Amino acid sequence: DAGVIQSPRHEVTEMGQEVTLRCKPISGHNSLFWYRQTMMRGLELLIYFNNNVPIDDSGMPEDRFSAKMPNASFSTLKIQPSEPRDSAVYFCASSFGVGRGIETQYFGPGTRLLVL
Amino acid sequence: GQQLNQSPQSMFIQEGEDVSMNCTSSSIFNTWLWYKQDPGEGPVLLIALYKAGELTSNGRLTAQFGITRKDSFLNISASIPSDVGIYFCAGVNDMRFGAGTRLTVKP
């Protein structure tokens, strides 16, 4: 299996632009997680889907952030409009199991976002 | 919200030495997880702990779930250069991560 696939791996954009991050989970996994990692705040869970349904979005920082999972093999995290403080590494992870399936969570390589 | 305090923040050790790091919280967790992150990669799960008092090993790694359910520690024995990286603890009620311990191993 190819593992969790994220694209793009790197993104540089200007403040105010829309940014879309993409994730393809491991085939057969039924849970998908979006995380953000910064030096200041460490690794934070943004949102979690189970069977394509958003279960917990309490970590989403504000209305500029939105996430969708239209099918079991694809998810997007969108930032509109982007701000310099959104610069971070964004990870997608997937797992199989009931509830959060935490013990089998596999992370993608991340998207490094820089907003100028 | 629940906060995880991970220590130490960084460690510089000689190859062959043992390493110990820990996480504490003011809240109780149902599960403790330990991850390792290599530069430019996502975290990789090392050990998962599900019961208070549980002691689990994975090769040279040993982790324990504290009796109070508010803490956990990770030991690495006989460190080698490839142990270099950032180690994170995570507490599962709502998946919170510690700030990480950055490990450097000198050959």
Side-chain angles (χ1 to χ4, degrees):
Chain A
D1 199 312
V4 175
I5 299 173
Q6 291 187 246
S7 65
R9 292 293 307 272
H10 302 271
E11 177 81 27
V12 180
T13 190
E14 291 186 344
M15 182 174 63
Q17 296 297 306
E18 177 180 295
V19 175
T20 300
L21 311 181
R22 298 173 177 80
C23 176
K24 176 178 169 55
I26 292 173
S27 177
H29 282 189
N30 63 348
S31 296
L32 185 141
F33 307 77
W34 282 101
Y35 292 86
R36 178 174 67 177
Q37 185 176 40
T38 62
M39 289 294 292
M40 291 297 295
R41 300 177 66 87
L43 200 56
E44 304 171 280
L45 178 64
L46 300 178
I47 188 170
Y48 148 61
F49 293 86
N50 183 252
N51 293 323
N52 311 338
V53 176
I55 302 300
D56 182 0
D57 64 354
S58 59
M60 295 286 264
E62 48 197 273
D63 292 345
R64 297 184 297 105
F65 285 69
S66 62
K68 294 181 179 180
M69 192 165 186
N71 57 64
S73 60
F74 184 67
S75 176
T76 60
L77 178 67
K78 185 175 294 186
I79 308 172
Q80 166 64 17
S82 59
E83 297 181 2
R85 60 188 169 131
D86 301 331
S87 299
V89 182
Y90 291 82
F91 288 104
C92 175
S94 72
S95 69
F96 177 78
V98 297
R100 291 179 178 264
I102 297 298
E103 67 274 17
T104 56
Q105 199 167 137
Y106 296 89
F107 281 75
T111 294
R112 283 148 186 80
L113 173 65
L114 176 61
V115 183
L116 302 173
Chain B
Q2 300 161 338
Q3 297 297 320
L4 295 187
N5 299 307
Q6 185 171 351
S7 65
Q9 289 186 331
S10 61
M11 300 184 73
F12 295 83
I13 63 170
Q14 204 73 36
E15 182 178 1
E17 291 183 355
D18 296 343
V19 173
S20 184
M21 60 191 79
N22 68 83
C23 272
T24 61
S25 172
S26 58
S27 300
I28 291 173
F29 285 96
N30 298 320
T31 300
W32 282 97
L33 306 172
W34 285 93
Y35 285 84
K36 182 192 177 194
Q37 186 175 22
D38 291 326
E41 302 293 332
V44 174
L45 182 65
L46 299 173
I47 293 180
L49 302 161
Y50 302 106
K51 295 194 307 183
E54 179 181 354
L55 186 70
T56 297
S57 293
N58 178 6
R60 292 178 296 105
L61 278 61
T62 301
Q64 185 160 27
F65 193 146
I67 291 292
T68 64
R69 294 168 61 192
K70 294 182 179 181
D71 61 351
S72 177
F73 72 77
L74 175 70
N75 285 344
I76 306 173
S77 63
S79 59
I80 59 177
S82 62
D83 291 334
V84 165
I86 303 177
Y87 292 79
F88 293 98
C89 63
V92 180
N93 290 341
D94 59 355
M95 201 61 185
R96 290 192 179 267
F97 284 79
T101 295
R102 185 180 297 273
L103 178 64
T104 302
V105 180
K106 293 178 285 186

